Amino acid sequence: MFVIVVYDIEGKRVTKIHKYLKKRLHWVQNSVFEGEIKESQYVIMKNDLKKFIKKNKKDMIVIYKFLTKQYFERTLLGKAKNKITNII
Amino acid sequence: MFVIVVYDIEGKRVTKIHKYLKKRLHWVQNSVFEGEIKESQYVIMKNDLKKFIKKNKKDMIVIYKFLTKQYFERTLLGKAKNKITNII
């Protein structure tokens, strides 16, 4: 499956979540990652991501999950931020 | 159709693109918008967005376009950033 993860996390946890996602997905820009992931990895990742959220803060994460890339079109305007190198 | 727009734009143009997208889509967080849009509006929007990109900068915009919301699942962890109010 393919996922897009966008986050808005306060404080030092922003660095931690970036490092966490960098090991699993491709960095698109700022606080946006995307990539192919297995169902089992997705379940683990979703649970891990919940731990980054502090309930008394304005933290939020949105995960868009697709069973296939077949049904969407991705358009890049400008320069890609990062070469695809950080996948485990 | 449904679109997700993520951007990383330098300087004052970041405020301009935020204002532009706020009139057309829902603000998710930081530099991420999403929403339903007509094909004709999408074509206009894509052309408009190109104008925010400065070639000598590291500006970039990614648009994910879906013909239907049927094939993806959206999970929110934490608090939604914004109520859905800013649609024309």
Side-chain angles (χ1 to χ4, degrees):
Chain A
M1 61 178 53
F2 186 84
V3 294
I4 302 168
V5 179
V6 307
Y7 59 86
D8 191 357
I9 300 286
E10 292 184 4
K12 288 181 185 171
R13 282 165 299 128
V14 78
T15 312
K16 287 181 186 169
I17 195 171
H18 185 92
K19 279 186 186 169
Y20 175 88
L21 288 169
K22 204 174 168 185
K23 288 180 188 162
R24 287 155 183 87
L25 300 169
H26 308 291
W27 182 48
V28 181
Q29 50 100 321
N30 291 334
S31 50
V32 180
F33 283 81
E34 65 174 29
E36 294 280 353
I37 192 167
K38 286 181 188 167
E39 173 73 37
S40 55
Q41 291 172 320
Y42 171 76
V43 174
I44 294 166
M45 191 180 76
K46 198 162 84 171
N47 280 322
D48 286 346
L49 288 175
K50 281 179 189 167
K51 297 171 194 161
F52 287 100
I53 300 282
K54 284 209 174 176
K55 285 187 181 172
N56 57 341
K57 302 279 184 182
K58 287 179 182 175
D59 291 346
M60 64 100 78
I61 301 169
V62 179
I63 309 169
Y64 303 92
K65 185 184 90 171
F66 313 88
L67 291 184
T68 163
K69 286 205 279 183
Q70 196 179 339
Y71 300 111
F72 77 89
E73 188 185 291
R74 183 190 193 279
T75 305
L76 169 69
L77 309 176
K79 287 171 196 156
K81 208 73 180 168
N82 200 18
K83 288 182 184 172
I84 293 167
T85 52
N86 293 313
I87 292 297
I88 291 170
Chain B
M1 61 179 54
F2 186 84
V3 294
I4 302 167
V5 179
V6 307
Y7 58 87
D8 190 358
I9 299 286
E10 291 183 5
K12 288 182 185 172
R13 282 166 299 128
V14 78
T15 313
K16 287 182 186 168
I17 194 171
H18 184 93
K19 280 185 187 170
Y20 176 87
L21 288 169
K22 204 175 168 184
K23 287 180 190 162
R24 288 155 181 88
L25 300 169
H26 308 292
W27 182 48
V28 181
Q29 49 100 324
N30 290 335
S31 49
V32 181
F33 283 81
E34 65 173 29
E36 293 281 351
I37 193 167
K38 285 180 189 168
E39 173 73 37
S40 57
Q41 291 171 321
Y42 170 76
V43 174
I44 294 166
M45 191 179 77
K46 200 162 82 172
N47 280 323
D48 286 346
L49 288 175
K50 281 179 189 166
K51 296 170 194 161
F52 287 100
I53 300 282
K54 283 210 173 174
K55 284 186 182 173
N56 55 341
K57 303 278 184 182
K58 288 180 181 172
D59 291 346
M60 63 101 77
I61 300 169
V62 180
I63 309 170
Y64 303 92
K65 185 183 89 170
F66 313 88
L67 292 184
T68 162
K69 285 205 279 184
Q70 197 180 338
Y71 300 109
F72 77 89
E73 187 186 291
R74 183 191 193 279
T75 305
L76 169 69
L77 309 176
K79 287 171 196 157
K81 208 74 180 166
N82 201 17
K83 287 180 185 175
I84 293 167
T85 53
N86 293 314
I87 293 297
I88 290 170

